[in-house]
Amino acid sequence: LDGNMKNIALALQMYLADNDDVSPLAEDTDQMRAVLDDYVRSQDIFMRPGTKDEVVVRYLVPPALRWREVRDPQHMPVAVIDCHPRYCFIAYGDGHGERFEKDANYQENWEKWWREFEADRRKPQQ
């Protein structure tokens, strides 16, 4: 899965380089996969290992995000690979990944993270 995370982050980085550092106007994972299709060798990197049709990647990049506004890209989650009942893997903007232990509120934790990220992004930079 580490290779998949790195390939997903690299595909996004290549897309950003070709598009003035603005994230795709994708509203969901299927749209994001379609956008990144030109930047990956195979759609298999988005699937549960050993399957060809079970997508386990969820994108976390807001549409039309100006990457220059991200103050800390190495800590910016770009995708979650959710393929285990007890944990998932998180791909970050710099290509590294981490295992994230799920608890009962892990979806709420992501939503809280996004609210905080969006609020911070709207603050004027000093």
Side-chain angles (χ1 to χ4, degrees):
L1 290 175
D2 284 343
N4 288 1
M5 288 186 289
K6 288 178 182 172
N7 285 328
I8 290 166
L10 181 60
L12 180 61
Q13 289 170 356
M14 289 187 297
Y15 175 91
L16 292 169
D18 289 346
N19 291 279
D20 295 324
D21 283 338
V22 176
S23 68
L25 292 174
E27 295 289 335
D28 61 31
T29 297
D30 289 337
Q31 290 175 0
M32 184 68 89
R33 285 179 47 220
V35 167
L36 295 182
D37 192 51
D38 290 339
Y39 299 92
V40 298
R41 277 194 184 154
S42 168
Q43 287 284 318
D44 290 351
I45 67 170
F46 305 111
M47 306 301 169
R48 179 180 301 283
T51 73
K52 295 281 185 193
D53 60 353
E54 188 179 351
V55 177
V56 293
V57 173
R58 279 187 296 135
Y59 284 93
L60 301 175
V61 179
L65 172 71
R66 294 191 180 284
W67 205 252
R68 288 179 218 104
E69 294 177 7
V70 177
R71 294 183 182 129
D72 195 4
Q74 66 268 21
H75 293 106
M76 167 73 173
V78 296
V80 172
I81 300 175
D82 194 353
C83 62
H84 193 276
R86 292 190 319 257
Y87 55 85
C88 58
F89 297 89
I90 302 157
Y92 290 89
D94 67 350
H96 85 281
E98 292 180 13
R99 183 173 145 163
F100 179 75
E101 296 292 329
K102 292 181 185 179
D103 62 20
N105 301 316
Y106 98 103
Q107 183 64 39
E108 291 173 27
N109 292 342
W110 280 112
E111 290 169 6
K112 179 181 178 226
W113 185 92
W114 273 112
R115 284 192 302 273
E116 290 171 1
F117 173 79
E118 286 295 317
D120 185 51
R121 190 164 72 106
R122 289 188 176 92
K123 290 179 188 173
Q125 292 188 11
Q126 297 178 8

